[in-house]
Amino acid sequence: MQKIIIFNSLILILIFLIFYFYSKKNSDNDFTYPFSKEEYYIEDNLERYLKYYEQNQKKSFSDIVREINCNLDYQFYNGVERSNPLDKILILVNKHYTLDKDFEGFDLVKVDDKYAYYDKEYYMNQEAYEKFVKMWQDANLAGCDFGIYSAYRSYERQVFLYNNYVTVDGAEKADTYSARAGSSEHQTGLAIDLKSRTKKTDYFETTEEYDWLLKNSYKYGFILRYKEDKEYLTGYQFEPWHYRYCGVDCATYIYENDITYEEYYEYFIKNK
Ligand SMILES: [Zn+2]
């Protein structure tokens, strides 16, 4: 009789221990499932989602996935990786992915003076340029006129520009609007800055050219790269003048889904 009681007690203790460890294991992984159901969930980032969630429990799962996919668990210019030139027109260059100082853009061609805002020479990627010309012609038919005032910029040029801005505004302010050398998209030849020629203004967002580009640029493969409500993700203030070529498929997806290029790259290119 006594043996049976001891045996039963041991069985009960065993059941309790199994239950205890099983439920503990499950509670540690409670959030794996909801994260895995997120649209832009990347399995390799799971540990980082969970850790970030611990520190930011008021954020939604969607926001956590978005912010980790944009590497916001690293400070800008910390934990930097090299941009991958093999990505070609889909290369990501930002405050987490930077270019080597020797990188001199892809397939650069000279921009015809007709499209230049100032009397200067501009160079850009050939494919991007061909699409730009088509976009410009269609915009022109719609009554718009804009010119390029910055296109490809070398690493050395970016060193010069950034240092000038730091002298004027200090590094903290300069970092909100100017890229440090190696982290400017202009070094790829895929980015252009535009000015209106129908309305002389520094506020491109007040022009009809801006309105037209906002609605149509994706059809030619260009995206508005630094949007007003995405500053915390891109690390740049709103730049209504800065357009980036990434091809029609990519630009259309970004336009239709209102995501940043950072999010697109991490989900569709890096972790495809
Ligand atoms: Zn720009």
Side-chain angles (χ1 to χ4, degrees), residues 193-248:
D193 296 335
L194 303 171
K195 268 185 187 289
S196 166
R197 290 197 284 212
T198 61
K199 184 180 179 186
K200 296 267 180 281
T201 175
D202 286 336
Y203 298 94
F204 191 58
E205 68 275 30
T206 64
T207 65
E208 60 178 314
E209 284 74 18
Y210 172 77
D211 286 340
W212 189 91
L213 286 164
L214 205 56
K215 291 187 196 108
N216 297 289
S217 72
Y218 72 93
K219 298 170 192 166
Y220 308 86
F222 286 88
I223 54 169
L224 175 64
R225 181 68 174 86
Y226 305 117
K227 291 181 77 174
E228 200 165 14
D229 57 342
K230 311 281 188 191
E231 290 155 331
Y232 71 109
L233 297 172
T234 63
Y236 286 96
Q237 63 180 20
F238 177 41
E239 291 197 2
W241 56 83
H242 180 109
Y243 277 81
R244 152 74 195 265
Y245 181 74
C246 61
V248 174

